Amino acid sequence: MTPLGPKNPGLGSRRNAERAAGGSGRPPRAPQGLRWASPRRRAPHQDGGREGAGSLREVGTIIRSLGCSPTEGELHDFIAEIEEEEPTGYIRFEKFLPVMTKTLLERKYRPISEDILLRAFEVLDTAKRGFLTKDELIKYMTEEGEPFSQEEMEEMLSAAIDPESNSLNYREYVAMMVIDEN
């Protein structure tokens, strides 16, 4: 199962990725759930006057919703590959689709395994308690390595922190986060 779930497969399977790339003889189309600006469906003011374009800010969300887990550096490289020569803040679907299809078919940016995630949390939990406090989590995620933005931190805290204990039971959290690729 991918983060999209069974009702919204998007480009989550090889067959769907090949079909979106034109393998069915039909023209490629946006994955289910994505809303790209279209001259027939949207007025120019709704997409900033850029017909057939999507916001660069949403690229990471789109890629992750398709089951990929790029680092911020990999995401930057991906965006550089699809961005217009003169950056506009938007990407064209026609440029995004072939690059994303290739990414999916090559199985790039695969999620980290459950064992590796669990070991990473265990390294942070020097007292071996099985949990991290909210303050510890904020410190590690904003001051170490590739820091989370304020928005990313708030999103993670709302999903991960138990409001009663004000902590993260990382074994439960890792089990919830893992994507079953079978």
Side-chain angles (χ1 to χ4, degrees):
M1 176 181 296
T2 67
L4 296 174
K7 290 185 180 178
N8 190 1
L11 290 180
S13 71
R14 182 180 183 94
R15 187 170 133 216
N16 285 345
E18 289 169 349
R19 185 176 300 147
S24 67
R26 288 179 283 192
R29 59 190 177 96
Q32 203 174 23
L34 295 182
R35 295 187 180 183
W36 294 88
S38 165
R40 291 181 299 251
R41 289 190 224 139
R42 287 189 158 172
H45 71 278
Q46 290 178 297
D47 67 354
R50 292 163 176 84
E51 296 174 348
S55 172
L56 276 175
R57 293 182 307 233
E58 302 300 322
V59 171
T61 302
I62 294 166
I63 291 172
R64 290 180 183 105
S65 75
L66 295 171
C68 297
S69 300
T71 65
E72 287 301 312
E74 291 168 333
L75 183 58
H76 178 74
D77 292 344
F78 184 94
I79 289 171
E81 190 172 345
I82 61 174
E83 195 170 34
E84 299 293 329
E85 287 181 27
E86 291 190 31
T88 63
Y90 291 86
I91 56 164
R92 300 203 52 77
F93 180 68
E94 296 78 23
K95 289 187 90 169
F96 173 82
L97 182 64
V99 176
M100 189 70 232
T101 300
K102 180 180 178 198
T103 297
L104 291 169
L105 292 174
E106 292 177 357
R107 301 180 59 83
K108 285 185 179 177
Y109 316 135
R110 301 314 311 156
I112 297 172
S113 73
E114 183 173 357
D115 291 342
I116 292 173
L117 281 172
L118 191 56
R119 280 186 277 169
F121 277 111
E122 288 171 345
V123 166
L124 299 176
D125 180 15
T126 56
K128 306 297 181 217
R129 302 170 297 192
F131 68 89
L132 296 172
T133 66
K134 180 179 178 180
D135 291 337
E136 289 171 326
L137 190 62
I138 291 171
K139 178 181 181 278
Y140 292 133
M141 300 309 228
T142 58
E143 297 176 10
E144 306 289 330
E146 195 172 297
F148 276 35
S149 69
Q150 180 68 29
E151 182 181 338
E152 291 169 326
M153 195 69 243
E154 288 172 8
E155 189 175 321
M156 181 180 184
L157 292 174
S158 70
I161 296 295
D162 174 29
E164 291 179 18
S165 66
N166 208 29
S167 66
L168 165 70
N169 178 322
Y170 54 81
R171 285 175 181 40
E172 291 175 7
Y173 186 68
V174 166
M176 177 182 73
M177 286 182 8
V178 173
I179 298 170
D180 180 12
E181 292 188 347
N182 296 329

